[in-house]
Amino acid sequence: MASPSTTTNFPEKPSSGAALWDTITRFDTSKIEPLIAFRNAVGLTVPLALAVAFGNPTAGTIATTGALSVAFSDGSDPYIRRAKRMLTATIFVSLAIFIGALSGRNDLVAIVLVTTWAFAAGMLIAIDSAWADIGLISLVTLVVFGARPMSVEEAAYSGAIALGGGLFQTSLSLSFWPVRRHEPQRRAVGELYRGLAELASEPVKAWEAPPASTTFSEAHQVLAGAWGFRSGQAERFWSLLSQAERIRLSLLMIFRLRARLAREDPSGAGAEILDECRQLASRILIDISRTLLVNRNAATDSESVRRISIIAETQLEPNPQSHSADRQALIREARYQIDALAGQLRSAIELASYSTPVGRKIFERKQANNPWMLRVAGTMATLQANLSLDSAVCRHAIRLAACVGIGHAIGRSVDWERTYWLTMTVAIILKPDFTATFSRGVLRLIGTFAGLFFATVLFHFLPLGPFLEVAFIAVLGFAMRCYGPANYGLFVIAISALIVMLFALTGVAPAEVVASRGLNTAAGGLLAIAAYAIWPTWERTQVSETLAQMLDRYREYFRAVRYGFVGSENEYSREIDRIRLVGRLARSNLEGSVERLRAEPRFPAASLTQLYEILASSHRFVHAVMALEAGLSRSQPVPARPEFHAFANAVELTLHSLSAALRGSPLDPADLPNLRDAHNALLQAGDPLAERYALVNVESDRITNSVNTLTLQVFQWLSQMQPTVTQ
């Protein structure tokens, strides 16, 4: 059978006159990154071109400054989330222009204000990256306009013009909202089902992270950030997401059962039957993905769904005469999982094909429903928790504030032109981690000089007029937004040349801008890199805490599944979706931390290898817990064994003790519970032929192996990191 990658050619959009409106409403400018860059370039240059045409290029540059600052907050996420982010950026940038222009008349006030603003911008990293970007952009704007003292009327006028530019940029981003209200959500869920199709077609390795986790997290975030979640169409997307969670669990369980069947009877047909089911499921998932991504019913292969059901009914039948008791249990479990998968696929097809949601309300989303005061309180609690020197965020905020303050003081005390570039460079280069700071510092310096050289060549060899300069600004704005996110060096080249041209439109000689910016950028870059070298924030000091947080989240996931097995269905169903999401986030945070560690100097290769081994063991653990969850809905309830409570308590205590040890608490291996003894006691209890008991017995063995291995690896990691952290 063809792989999913060969079956994803989507049909062309309608081209007939009768389908013109349908074509328009299916077109979405946020779907492809170049189109986002195009609308951002339009937002930059339309106000500028109008201002040049009416003979007021200075006002045009201010409007373009507002649009440029807001363009960094653009994206392809749900319209309501995008609108909130871009409007917030617009307001903050406009206020920064107004306050900065007023404060520029007094050196002391300007230095104190910029230093305080820099500390606040650094702390915003604790909330999320969007707030961090808004804080940085508004800080840079404050610094630039602080170098241009104005009266109250002039400052208010400049702020209003920038507000207009930002609102125009925002309106372009939201222009398709009325006709494509649910486009981002539909696209996110469609990509999720495409990922499930790939999962169904390829083997799953127990030592790797659960597949498709990133797309699940993205889909959760996209749906949670949208309005209208009580409407029928929005509820349909949430239902599709819930079905996708169940489909993934069923597929992972089928993979595990396939491996066990092949191991116990290599000559049997059980493994081949399960492979056929996976391939059929992959074909169906591709059709569902196509339906969602093109917003048009695909020709779903209903025969494939029926075939899966027939396989479950006819080809997987345990034979007491020729099969052992263990193999009979495996076949029964495989039959249950295939039958469940067929039902889930049927439900997903129906949900994807019709606008009316089917089934019960899937789960609650407390955060989206919380009153805004509770959300503000949660944000403030996050910031308060990070107001400590133990927090990398707080140390970054202090370092950023000190360096920005020093840079601003230097700039106002030396007789250089446009010294705000010095402060801007410090603010842009300094990041919380070593890798980003030094890589950005080097790329910032190289890119700035390359961009200045490019602008110099243009002005020297080409007879640029105002409108030709506006055209070049549009091209540079497009390149900056389209290719800049992937390559910071290209971003700096484009933005440097763009700013030189903006200044040229206001009558400032390009040679003057090039020389002053080159000098101040070099000084600011050296100051930022020197400050980080003096007081660094090493990832090696943070990774243990990040690992501990992941173990805590996995322990919560295990506990939620445990509630399902002991009969606490309310506890299980109410929390499981939230816990899955935070668990994926914790794992992705650790994986990001490990990648940053690779770039740190003098970090032992043996310790890095140990971290990868810890990640592999944690993946084995979570795969086993996911298998337990998958079997929960298909196995018949039985009384929870006291031995299961003892085993689950031992697992939770071990994970809790390991996370505490990673945070510095003393831990003796002899104080940990004996998981193998607890598992052996579990094996001796209950009827081994009961499906749920058999499932727990098998997966608890995998949990025991993975947690015992994880324990050994964590102790080895702690012994290796003790001298490393102090370096």
Side-chain angles (χ1 to χ4, degrees):
M1 174 180 172
S3 64
S5 60
T6 64
T7 59
T8 54
N9 295 322
F10 299 142
E12 297 293 329
K13 293 182 174 64
S15 55
S16 65
L20 177 60
W21 173 249
D22 184 57
T23 302
I24 294 174
T25 57
R26 292 179 195 285
F27 181 77
D28 178 34
T29 58
S30 68
K31 202 167 187 177
I32 304 175
E33 192 67 23
L35 292 178
I36 302 178
F38 175 77
R39 74 182 178 217
N40 288 163
V42 171
L44 295 179
T45 52
V46 167
L48 185 60
L50 291 175
V52 170
F54 284 98
N56 192 356
T58 301
T61 59
I62 296 175
T64 297
T65 300
L68 178 63
S69 302
V70 175
F72 295 116
S73 297
D74 200 355
S76 58
D77 49 340
Y79 289 108
I80 179 57
R81 178 187 291 176
R82 197 188 316 169
K84 289 179 180 178
R85 186 176 62 247
M86 296 183 74
L87 290 174
T88 301
T90 300
I91 294 171
F92 269 75
V93 168
S94 302
L95 287 175
I97 290 175
F98 176 72
I99 296 172
L102 289 181
S103 66
R105 291 176 290 183
N106 186 291
D107 289 346
L108 180 60
V109 171
I111 293 171
V112 172
L113 176 63
V114 167
T115 302
T116 305
W117 201 296
F119 178 79
M123 289 299 298
L124 289 177
I125 293 176
I127 300 177
D128 59 34
S129 60
W131 274 104
D133 291 341
I134 292 173
L136 176 60
I137 292 168
S138 61
L139 172 62
V140 169
T141 306
L142 180 76
V143 170
V144 171
F145 281 84
R148 304 176 62 184
M150 301 178 185
S151 64
V152 175
E153 293 78 9
E154 291 173 327
Y157 175 71
S158 298
I161 292 177
L163 180 67
L167 291 175
F168 178 67
Q169 186 71 268
T170 303
S171 67
L172 290 177
S173 178
L174 305 178
S175 57
F176 276 81
W177 192 348
V179 294
R180 301 300 293 142
R181 181 181 180 188
H182 292 287
E183 159 63 22
Q185 297 94 296
R186 180 176 56 78
R187 188 173 61 251
V189 178
E191 292 293 344
L192 174 58
Y193 274 83
R194 190 202 297 267
L196 283 177
E198 295 174 356
L199 163 63
S201 65
E202 299 178 0
V204 176
K205 299 179 178 64
W207 57 88
E208 293 181 353
S213 294
T214 301
T215 51
F216 271 98
S217 298
E218 291 173 352
H220 268 284
Q221 293 167 4
V222 167
L223 295 187
W227 268 353
F229 54 84
R230 293 187 182 278
S231 68
Q233 189 170 357
E235 186 177 340
R236 183 191 65 175
F237 291 131
W238 280 105
S239 298
L240 280 165
L241 180 60
S242 178
Q243 287 297 334
E245 292 276 14
R246 297 174 61 197
I247 290 170
R248 184 174 77 145
L249 289 173
S250 294
L251 288 172
L252 291 174
M253 192 63 179
I254 288 172
F255 273 111
R256 298 177 76 89
L257 291 168
R258 189 247 184 240
R260 292 172 60 192
L261 284 170
R263 186 168 56 248
E264 290 197 7
D265 186 7
S267 62
E272 288 74 12
I273 292 172
L274 295 186
D275 285 339
E276 182 182 359
C277 289
R278 290 192 300 103
Q279 295 301 326
L280 292 170
S282 178
R283 181 189 303 167
I284 296 166
L285 291 166
I286 281 294
D287 287 340
I288 295 172
S289 174
R290 183 185 292 113
T291 296
L292 293 167
L293 290 175
V294 302
N295 202 18
R296 182 183 301 279
N297 288 346
T300 305
D301 186 2
S302 57
E303 180 60 34
S304 297
V305 183
R306 287 194 294 270
R307 176 64 179 160
I308 292 177
S309 298
I310 291 172
I311 289 174
E313 294 173 2
T314 63
Q315 298 189 31
L316 283 173
E317 189 70 32
N319 189 338
Q321 283 74 35
S322 59
H323 294 160
S324 66
D326 289 342
R327 185 168 179 80
Q328 291 181 55
L330 285 176
I331 292 176
R332 280 195 296 267
E333 181 62 26
R335 181 172 178 171
Y336 287 147
Q337 292 299 332
I338 292 176
D339 185 59
L341 178 63
Q344 293 152 9
L345 291 171
R346 279 193 296 270
S347 178
I349 290 171
E350 187 175 11
L351 288 167
S353 301
Y354 303 102
S355 58
T356 303
V358 177
R360 60 184 179 86
K361 182 177 179 180
I362 302 302
F363 52 83
E364 302 173 359
R365 290 179 290 129
K366 293 183 179 180
Q367 185 65 21
N369 291 320
N370 278 341
W372 71 270
M373 283 298 295
L374 293 181
R375 297 198 294 272
V376 171
T379 300
M380 295 306 297
T382 299
L383 292 175
Q384 183 178 359
N386 280 276
L387 283 174
S388 166
L389 288 178
D390 293 332
S391 167
V393 171
C394 185
R395 291 202 298 274
H396 166 67
I398 294 173
R399 183 170 52 234
L400 179 64
C403 291
V404 166
I406 293 171
H408 210 52
I410 293 174
R412 286 181 169 265
S413 61
V414 298
D415 189 21
W416 295 353
E417 293 291 332
R418 292 175 175 79
T419 53
Y420 54 82
W421 286 112
L422 190 157
T423 312
M424 283 176 54
T425 302
V426 172
I428 292 172
I429 288 179
L430 275 178
K431 297 297 174 184
D433 60 282
F434 168 87
T435 305
T437 297
F438 277 81
S439 62
R440 275 181 173 253
V442 173
L443 288 173
R444 178 77 183 178
L445 295 175
I446 295 174
T448 295
F449 291 122
L452 296 179
F453 175 78
F454 174 70
T456 303
V457 170
L458 281 179
F459 279 101
H460 183 74
F461 290 103
L462 295 178
L464 297 179
F467 288 102
L468 187 55
E469 290 178 25
V470 171
F472 270 110
I473 287 172
V475 173
L476 291 170
F478 176 86
M480 176 190 65
R481 185 62 177 82
C482 187
Y483 306 109
N487 189 304
Y488 185 68
L490 291 176
F491 169 83
V492 175
I493 292 173
I495 192 70
S496 298
L498 186 152
I499 291 175
V500 170
M501 291 189 172
L502 279 178
F503 274 101
L505 280 172
T506 63
V508 179
E512 180 184 344
V513 176
V514 169
S516 61
R517 183 172 183 189
L519 175 62
N520 286 286
T521 297
L526 293 175
L527 174 60
I529 293 175
Y532 199 95
I534 293 171
W535 192 30
T537 300
W538 297 112
E539 191 66 33
R540 66 194 67 182
T541 65
Q542 310 298 315
V543 67
S544 291
E545 171 61 27
T546 309
L547 174 57
Q549 291 177 6
M550 187 192 72
L551 293 182
D552 286 340
R553 302 294 83 79
Y554 280 5
R555 177 167 54 86
E556 290 179 9
Y557 179 41
F558 175 76
R559 180 186 299 170
V561 175
R562 172 190 182 177
Y563 284 147
F565 276 91
V566 300
S568 302
E569 287 294 331
N570 290 336
E571 292 290 335
Y572 165 74
S573 59
R574 184 173 64 244
E575 293 294 318
I576 192 65
D577 294 297
R578 177 192 65 81
I579 291 172
R580 281 200 205 101
L581 187 60
V582 297
R584 291 169 187 148
L585 177 61
R587 190 190 67 251
S588 65
N589 287 342
L590 178 59
E591 291 170 343
S593 180
V594 172
E595 289 305 306
R596 289 190 293 271
L597 267 178
R598 295 177 59 185
E600 285 194 355
R602 302 190 309 275
F603 188 77
S607 297
L608 191 62
T609 301
Q610 191 68 42
L611 266 179
Y612 283 120
E613 292 174 353
I614 289 174
L615 270 171
S617 295
S618 69
H619 296 336
R620 292 188 182 97
F621 169 77
V622 80
H623 273 285
V625 181
M626 292 173 71
L628 282 177
E629 184 186 357
L632 185 60
S633 61
R634 296 305 306 162
S635 57
Q636 295 298 320
V638 290
R641 294 168 284 179
E643 292 80 4
F644 176 74
H645 288 284
F647 174 79
N649 289 338
V651 171
E652 290 197 42
L653 178 59
T654 302
L655 293 176
H656 173 75
S657 301
L658 292 178
S659 63
L662 288 165
R663 293 185 171 101
S665 298
L667 178 63
D668 188 334
D671 295 334
L672 294 175
N674 191 316
L675 289 181
R676 183 53 62 188
D677 285 349
H679 177 255
N680 288 336
L682 185 62
L683 293 179
Q684 303 302 319
D687 181 4
L689 295 181
E691 290 88 349
R692 183 165 291 191
Y693 287 158
L695 171 68
V696 170
N697 289 349
V698 171
E699 298 305 332
S700 61
D701 181 46
R702 299 179 186 274
I703 289 173
T704 299
N705 290 332
S706 60
V707 174
N708 282 342
T709 304
L710 188 63
T711 300
L712 177 61
Q713 291 167 339
V714 167
F715 277 108
Q716 291 174 346
W717 161 260
L718 291 173
S719 65
Q720 292 177 1
M721 284 299 295
Q722 193 63 36
T724 302
V725 174
T726 59
Q727 289 182 2

